[in-house]
Amino acid sequence: MAHDSTPHAPGNGANQAGSFLFPKPPLTIAEQREHLRERGLGLEGFPDEGVDFFLASNNYYRISGYWLTFFDRDAGRFVEGATLDDIVHVMAFDDELRFLVFRMIEPLEIRFRTSFAYHMAHIHGAVAYRDMRLFDLEDAFERSQSEIDRAIRIGMRGRVPCVTHNMEKYGQLPVWALVEVLSFGTVSKMYGNLSDGELRDAVASDFRTTATLLKSWMEHLVYIRNLCAHYDRLYNRVVTKRTQFLREDIRLFDRLHLQRGRLFDTFIVLKRLYEHFDPVMWKMRMTALRDLIDMYPEVRLLPLGFPEDWLNVLSVEG
């Protein structure tokens, strides 16, 4: 065989068919099934075709995030008694939980967009978002301007009525229309970059909290909302976008020895926002959460950071 003298970039080798090489070969569906069986996962009660259908419908790598609580990493095997049923139940629970959390965040996001636009327009004018003097960091301001310009371009191409009407008639987009086409993340970052104390505090007052806490809470909710919107896992997730808490909530975590950085952090934030925004709706959401948890008694709540008395902890007056 002739020696191949053609230089290749490290890690980017390709065979003659043009396929790029990777140290781990892909597994077929049948190989994935047998790999799970060899590592000790109970597949009893599932015909091979049923397991194969499950694996073909759910990416193996996605499923692996849900079996973490049933897997002994040191031994490289599933814990004794772990079954495919366990994983299916956790995935079903997480799917319903994701939908519920998304529904909880949605009205707060809308309220935040509304408050930001309302106070900016009334204090500084309809297009004050273009004024660098209202913001702190120039780099963050320029990034937000790029996002604004991009949203307007997309709105014009898509013939979004609130964009086309204002741009064709006035050549500018008032902030109350802008917040309807910007991402939640961009609005949150714009608020977080405000240097104007009057505007910052006016928005925070609508949520009965401080500007510092509102900035932290909204940035956290953006992160969680995006996980929900992209069908990502909430169960047993370490929440990398940490949030600030009220002092009494910090004491609560310490008193109950709760692990921070889990989804229970999000529920504490949601509780604090809802107790002033809509306590009746919060009670309805907590009832829905209780019903969901009751539907899956075999799913442990500890990986979510929930205490045993979670319902009382999350209760609000009103």
Side-chain angles (χ1 to χ4, degrees):
M1 180 179 293
H3 176 68
D4 180 9
S5 60
T6 305
H8 298 286
N12 287 314
N15 62 24
Q16 289 182 346
S19 299
F20 287 91
L21 301 178
F22 187 75
K24 290 179 66 175
L27 300 178
T28 66
I29 295 297
E31 287 171 337
Q32 292 175 25
R33 176 196 351 115
E34 293 310 309
H35 191 54
L36 292 176
R37 182 176 280 126
E38 290 166 4
R39 297 170 89 182
L41 184 65
L43 303 181
E44 295 77 11
F46 289 88
D48 286 353
E49 57 268 25
V51 178
D52 291 354
F53 178 80
F54 173 72
L55 291 170
S57 303
N58 298 276
N59 186 7
Y60 186 89
Y61 202 72
R62 173 181 176 80
I63 299 168
S64 69
Y66 290 100
W67 74 49
L68 293 175
T69 53
F70 309 108
F71 195 78
D72 184 339
R73 290 189 177 184
D74 294 332
R77 291 181 57 80
F78 288 93
V79 298
E80 186 175 353
T83 69
L84 183 59
D85 250 342
D86 295 325
I87 299 172
V88 170
H89 289 157
V90 171
M91 291 180 67
F93 171 82
D94 190 63
D95 184 59
E96 296 290 339
L97 179 64
R98 194 165 53 244
F99 178 73
L100 182 60
V101 171
F102 190 93
R103 290 287 305 276
M104 291 180 184
I105 294 174
E106 184 181 80
L108 297 171
E109 174 186 344
I110 294 171
R111 172 63 166 153
F112 181 65
R113 292 171 181 270
T114 301
S115 177
F116 180 82
Y118 180 86
H119 291 296
M120 173 172 280
H122 283 272
I123 295 174
H124 294 292
V127 291
Y129 57 85
R130 295 294 193 185
D131 189 351
M132 171 61 204
R133 293 172 299 177
L134 301 182
F135 298 91
D136 187 14
L137 302 176
E138 185 174 355
D139 287 349
F141 172 76
E142 292 299 334
R143 285 193 295 272
S144 71
Q145 296 304 298
S146 295
E147 288 297 318
I148 290 168
D149 293 338
R150 177 174 176 271
I152 293 174
R153 287 196 303 271
I154 292 173
M156 291 295 289
R157 283 202 303 268
R159 302 302 295 172
V160 176
C162 71
V163 177
T164 56
H165 167 74
N166 285 285
M167 294 302 294
E168 291 172 358
K169 186 171 184 178
Y170 304 109
Q172 300 181 85
L173 202 61
V175 66
W176 54 84
L178 177 67
V179 294
E180 294 300 315
V181 294
L182 279 182
S183 71
F184 184 20
T186 299
V187 178
S188 172
K189 288 175 182 177
M190 290 175 68
Y191 177 77
N193 192 37
L194 284 174
S195 61
D196 182 77
E198 181 184 7
L199 175 53
R200 192 174 58 235
D201 292 342
V203 177
S205 67
D206 284 344
F207 292 89
R208 308 284 185 87
T209 189
T210 66
T212 299
L213 281 174
L214 185 62
K215 172 183 180 295
S216 177
W217 290 351
M218 286 300 154
E219 289 176 354
H220 176 81
L221 292 184
V222 166
Y223 166 76
I224 298 297
R225 178 211 178 277
N226 288 343
L227 291 178
C228 295
H230 293 93
Y231 319 109
D232 217 330
R233 174 173 52 89
L234 296 181
Y235 189 79
N236 199 26
R237 171 178 287 276
V238 176
V239 177
T240 56
K241 186 63 178 179
R242 301 298 176 90
T243 185
Q244 296 185 36
F245 296 103
L246 295 173
R247 287 191 181 90
E248 61 191 277
D249 291 328
I250 294 174
R251 290 194 293 267
L252 170 74
F253 274 89
D254 293 341
R255 177 169 56 83
L256 297 180
H257 305 289
L258 300 179
Q259 182 183 7
R260 297 186 207 176
R262 296 286 177 167
L263 191 67
F264 194 67
D265 294 10
T266 306
F267 279 90
I268 291 293
V269 169
L270 290 169
K271 170 190 173 179
R272 291 308 179 190
L273 289 166
Y274 265 95
E275 65 185 351
H276 300 300
F277 174 70
D278 194 339
V280 174
M281 177 59 72
W282 178 249
K283 289 183 178 181
M284 293 173 61
R285 298 302 189 204
M286 289 301 96
T287 298
L289 179 60
R290 183 198 62 203
D291 292 344
L292 173 61
I293 289 171
D294 289 346
M295 283 177 58
Y296 296 91
E298 69 281 2
V299 175
R300 297 168 60 234
L301 298 183
L302 186 60
L304 293 168
F306 274 52
E308 291 185 9
D309 196 27
W310 66 268
L311 191 55
N312 284 332
V313 172
L314 293 178
S315 65
V316 299
E317 298 179 359

